[in-house]
């Protein structure tokens, strides 16, 4: 798979969750050895969905840097995608005053100097809307979000992080790389519905400035993943008195209809590719106005969004329309996913790796630490392939060094975060997701069930003999011990890569 470059901008909480799935896709090898550059956009800078995505990104970057530091690459692509993070940008980033709609538009000044404009503002926005603090987002109101986002002009793209993002895109286009930019977000909330068209137009105009000869836009492909309503919530009776303005799921379809009409009438030729994703039923989530409590678990629609990003990255489609549906309503299986054989193989490999690391390898490494490397090494001879004992003098690969012990924690942290994501995808109440048998992942405390390797994958089509051989823990650990020194990197990174090769199903 050749190296590709993709810039992804996640707008709002749903956009952040799409990036979360893409990060986990990057770990599995589904994005190959491509390069991603990510930017999050949200006025709610402490949004729980945004925070979880940033945490997964940090975990991935630590692990990716660790396993790619050695000389022996993993041909299958595990941890092969490089991700650069441009940060979180808020439209209020340069605003020092109260983050109210009225303050943002200098409403008091308008009343004094432009009474006609202030009267129009009064007609468009209620007193409650004018005085609502917006640092928890646009409260599910695209009319508020559009007003704020419309004030972003070309000069804002000269500020960080936009400046570094645009400069990178221009450099790629100038060197003939034909970069791709993908926006992700919902059409039914406040931030995504208002931010997606505004940001897309700004980028389009920035790459093809009106009245100037520079036209980088022709060398760039611009795409968007639009999410239709796929979750809902019940507003508690006391919400209005306690929370002020808040989003209402009753308005989602109306917001979506208005957004779709806008794109048809005003932005039909803005994007080169559009991925429109929705679901027949909506997932019930906990009501929240924003901040840390807006922390909805991953959903299979965001998995589909990541598959759309993969398609946009790896293909240059000119089709006017492509349709994707599933075989049975209310059920998601491997065969409902685009390119499902490859998706299944790579997701299964990373799931097997994470499961065996946490259920077997991590436990044995901890026993070696507490009982002593030399003593426990007699029970796990493969240890000596990757680590040096404490009596061998100075060595980068001494088992008990802080560097190697921290590396073990990095692999374990990624494994838990990846299985957490996989498990969450299967917890939808509105639909059954049948990709993995997640009961094998363990209990709520994170205790992994042992001896369930053969029972991880739904629709496991391996023949019994092959399955027995590939899932036998003695064979897997024996393979770790039998690898020649010249085939492996040493240390924890080498151990993780060697284990991945051992558990790789290969087909």
């Amino acid at each position: 798979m050749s190296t590709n470059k993709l810039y992804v901008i996640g707008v709002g909480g749903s956009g952040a969750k799409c990036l979360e799935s893409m990060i986990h896709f990057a770990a599995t090898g589904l994005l190959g050895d491509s390069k991603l550059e990510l930017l999050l956009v949200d006025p709610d800078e402490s949004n729980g969905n945004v925070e979880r995505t940033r945490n997964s990104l940090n975990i991935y970057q630590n692990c990716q840097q660790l396993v790619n530091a050695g000389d022996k690459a993993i041909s299958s692509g595990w941890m092969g995608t490089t991700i650069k993070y441009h940060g979180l940008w808020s439209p209020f980033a340069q605003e020092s005053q109260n983050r109210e709609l009225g303050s943002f538009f200098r409403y008091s000044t308008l009343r004094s100097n432009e009474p006609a404009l202030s009267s129009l503002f009064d007609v468009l926005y209620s007193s409650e809307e004018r005085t609502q603090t917006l640092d928890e987002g646009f409260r599910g109101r695209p009319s508020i979000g559009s007003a704020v986002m419309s004030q972003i002009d070309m000069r804002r793209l000269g500020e960080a992080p936009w400046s570094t993002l645009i400069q990178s895109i221009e450099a790629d286009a100038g060197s003939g790389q034909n970069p791709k930019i993908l926006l992700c977000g919902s059409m039914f909330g406040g931030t995504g519905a208002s931010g997606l068209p505004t940001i897309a137009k700004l980028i389009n105009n920035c790459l093809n400035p009106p009245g100037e000869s520079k036209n980088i836009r022709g060398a760039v492909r611009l795409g968007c993943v639009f999410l239709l309503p796929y979750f809902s919530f019940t507003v508690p009776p006391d919400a209005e008195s306690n929370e002020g303005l808040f989003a209402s799921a009753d308005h989602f379809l109306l917001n979506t209809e208005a957004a779709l009409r806008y794109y048809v009438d005003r932005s039909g030729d803005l994007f080169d590719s559009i991925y429109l994703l929705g679901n027949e039923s909506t997932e019930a989530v906990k009501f929240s106005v924003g901040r840390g409590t807006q922390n909805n678990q991953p959903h299979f629609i965001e998995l589909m969004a990541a598959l759309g990003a993969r398609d946009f990255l790896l293909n240059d489609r000119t089709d006017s329309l492509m349709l994707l549906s599933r075989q049975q309503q209310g059920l998601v299986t491997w065969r409902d996913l685009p390119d499902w054989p490859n998706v299944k193989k790579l997701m299964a490999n990373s799931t097997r790796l994470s499961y065996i690391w946490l259920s077997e390898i991590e436990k044995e490494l901890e026993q070696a630490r507490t009982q002593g490397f030399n003593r426990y090494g007699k029970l796990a001879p493969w240890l000596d392939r990757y680590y040096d004992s404490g009596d061998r003098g100075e060595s980068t690969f001494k088992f008990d060094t802080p560097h190697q012990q921290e590396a073990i924690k990095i692999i374990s942290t990624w494994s838990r975060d990846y299985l957490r994501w996989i498990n969450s995808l299967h917890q939808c109440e509105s639909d059954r997701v049948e990709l993995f048998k997640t009961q094998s992942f363990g209990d709520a405390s994170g205790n992994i069930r042992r001896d369930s390797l053969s029972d991880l994958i739904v629709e496991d089509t391996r023949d019994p003999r092959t399955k027995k051989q590939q899932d036998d823990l003695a064979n897997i650990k024996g393979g770790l011990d039998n690898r020649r020194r010249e085939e492996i990197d040493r240390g924890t990174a080498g151990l993780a890569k060697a284990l991945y090769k051992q558990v790789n199903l290969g087909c």
Side-chain angles (χ1 to χ4, degrees):
M1 193 178 291
S2 61
T3 302
N4 295 278
K5 184 77 165 287
L6 178 64
Y7 297 85
V8 188
I9 303 173
V11 185
S14 295
K17 293 178 70 184
C18 291
L19 264 62
E20 178 186 19
S21 288
M22 293 179 205
I23 292 165
H24 291 295
F25 263 31
T28 66
L30 280 166
L31 303 182
D33 58 354
S34 58
K35 297 180 180 180
L36 299 187
E37 298 200 15
L38 308 182
L39 174 66
L40 290 168
V41 175
D42 204 312
D44 184 0
E45 297 174 62
S46 58
N47 180 284
N49 296 323
V50 170
E51 284 299 312
R52 192 178 67 232
T53 297
R54 291 198 289 190
N55 184 57
S56 287
L57 175 59
N58 183 60
I59 290 170
Y60 172 81
Q61 288 178 318
N62 288 338
C63 192
Q64 198 266 348
Q65 183 178 9
L66 174 69
V67 301
N68 285 280
D71 298 327
K72 310 300 187 298
I74 301 178
S75 59
S76 58
W78 178 63
M79 290 288 167
T81 304
T82 302
I83 301 181
K84 179 180 179 179
Y85 180 48
H86 287 274
L88 170 66
W89 180 82
S90 165
F92 298 113
Q94 303 299 325
E95 299 296 322
S96 58
Q97 75 269 21
N98 292 333
R99 297 181 177 186
E100 299 174 357
L101 185 64
S103 297
F104 190 79
F105 280 91
R106 313 294 194 270
Y107 178 71
S108 298
T109 303
L110 281 179
R111 291 192 65 183
S112 300
N113 301 334
E114 299 286 348
L117 285 178
S118 69
S119 296
L120 176 60
F121 203 73
D122 291 339
V123 171
L124 294 175
Y125 299 100
S126 67
S127 174
E128 188 179 22
E129 290 173 326
R130 293 195 304 270
T131 58
Q132 177 66 58
T133 301
L134 300 176
D135 48 6
E136 291 182 343
F138 298 136
R139 307 293 179 121
R141 283 167 165 75
S143 59
I144 294 178
S146 297
V148 174
M149 289 291 188
S150 67
Q151 297 304 298
I152 306 171
D153 56 24
M154 297 296 294
R155 289 170 295 180
R156 300 299 294 271
L157 296 188
E159 303 168 355
W162 292 106
S163 56
T164 54
L165 184 77
I166 296 298
Q167 289 169 9
S168 182
I169 294 170
E170 291 177 339
D172 287 344
S175 62
Q177 293 187 43
N178 300 113
K180 298 180 179 182
I181 308 169
L182 185 68
L183 279 65
C184 303
S186 74
M187 303 187 78
F188 55 90
T191 304
S194 59
L196 290 173
T198 303
I199 293 171
K201 284 188 175 182
L202 281 172
I203 292 175
N204 188 72
N205 293 337
C206 185
L207 299 179
N208 184 20
E212 296 185 19
S213 59
K214 180 179 73 170
N215 182 9
I216 298 175
R217 176 66 178 89
V220 175
R221 287 187 62 83
L222 182 60
C224 191
V225 175
F226 290 119
L227 302 182
L228 303 177
Y230 65 102
F231 64 83
S232 62
F233 49 81
T234 300
V235 178
D238 60 349
E240 189 167 355
S241 59
N242 294 335
E243 306 292 354
L245 295 179
F246 51 83
S248 173
D250 293 338
H251 297 156
F252 283 174
L253 288 178
L254 184 63
N255 292 348
T256 301
E257 181 185 13
L260 287 170
R261 289 184 181 276
Y262 176 86
Y263 282 105
V264 170
D265 296 337
R266 304 283 297 276
S267 303
D269 58 350
L270 185 60
F271 297 105
D272 299 302
S273 299
I274 291 177
Y275 298 84
L276 194 64
L277 296 170
N279 194 33
E280 298 93 336
S281 56
T282 56
E283 181 74 7
V285 300
K286 183 180 178 181
F287 170 79
S288 171
V289 296
R291 294 192 181 273
T293 59
Q294 188 176 342
N295 188 8
N296 304 332
Q297 68 180 9
H299 191 279
F300 71 84
I301 285 293
E302 297 134 22
L303 172 72
M304 292 294 188
L307 287 167
R310 178 176 184 259
D311 178 80
F312 183 67
L313 170 67
L314 301 180
N315 299 292
D316 294 320
R317 297 194 183 279
T318 57
D319 312 71
S320 58
L321 177 66
M322 291 186 64
L323 297 177
L324 175 69
S325 62
R326 51 182 169 181
Q327 297 179 348
Q328 181 180 335
Q329 184 175 344
L331 177 66
V332 179
T333 70
W334 289 113
R335 296 174 188 273
D336 296 317
L337 308 183
D339 191 24
W340 70 267
N342 284 320
V343 173
K344 178 181 179 182
K345 177 188 71 174
L346 292 174
M347 288 185 70
N349 288 343
S350 290
T351 302
R352 285 164 57 85
L353 168 66
S354 301
Y355 174 82
I356 296 177
W357 181 273
L358 295 176
S359 65
E360 299 290 334
I361 302 301
E362 182 190 50
K363 290 179 171 58
E364 295 198 13
L365 292 172
E366 177 60 18
Q367 289 177 316
R369 187 186 69 83
T370 57
Q371 297 181 23
F373 181 86
N374 291 332
R375 179 181 179 185
Y376 191 79
K378 296 176 182 179
L379 301 176
W382 53 266
L383 279 171
D384 193 52
R385 287 281 179 181
Y386 303 93
Y387 300 103
D388 291 333
S389 63
D391 56 6
R392 292 190 183 179
E394 294 298 324
S395 170
T396 304
F397 305 112
K398 288 176 65 174
F399 176 74
D400 57 359
T401 61
H403 172 72
Q404 294 300 335
Q405 291 300 307
E406 179 62 25
I408 293 170
K409 293 179 182 178
I410 288 174
I411 300 295
S412 296
T413 300
W414 171 79
S415 297
R416 286 190 172 86
D417 192 55
Y418 175 77
L419 291 186
R420 184 268 312 164
W421 174 70
I422 291 288
N423 184 59
S424 295
L425 292 174
H426 290 73
Q427 303 310 310
C428 293
E429 296 181 357
S430 60
D431 298 80
R432 294 199 332 271
V433 178
E434 296 185 356
L435 306 178
F436 294 99
K437 300 177 183 179
T438 56
Q439 62 270 23
S440 301
F441 292 178
D443 57 29
S445 301
N447 297 314
I448 301 295
R449 286 176 51 186
R450 304 184 72 174
D451 304 322
S452 295
L453 181 60
S454 296
D455 200 34
L456 289 180
I457 308 168
V458 177
E459 292 189 59
D460 192 339
T461 56
R462 292 175 292 166
D463 65 81
R465 182 177 179 181
T466 300
K467 185 175 182 179
K468 182 178 180 180
Q469 181 180 12
Q470 291 179 333
D471 295 347
D472 184 87
L473 290 174
N475 286 340
I476 293 172
K477 293 177 183 178
L480 294 176
D481 187 31
N482 293 333
R483 288 194 174 276
R484 295 192 299 271
R485 285 285 176 97
E486 63 271 16
E487 293 180 343
I488 62 172
D489 285 323
R490 301 195 68 212
T492 303
L495 172 60
K497 288 190 281 188
L499 180 62
Y500 183 82
K501 292 180 179 179
Q502 285 297 113
V503 303
N504 193 323
L505 297 180
C507 60

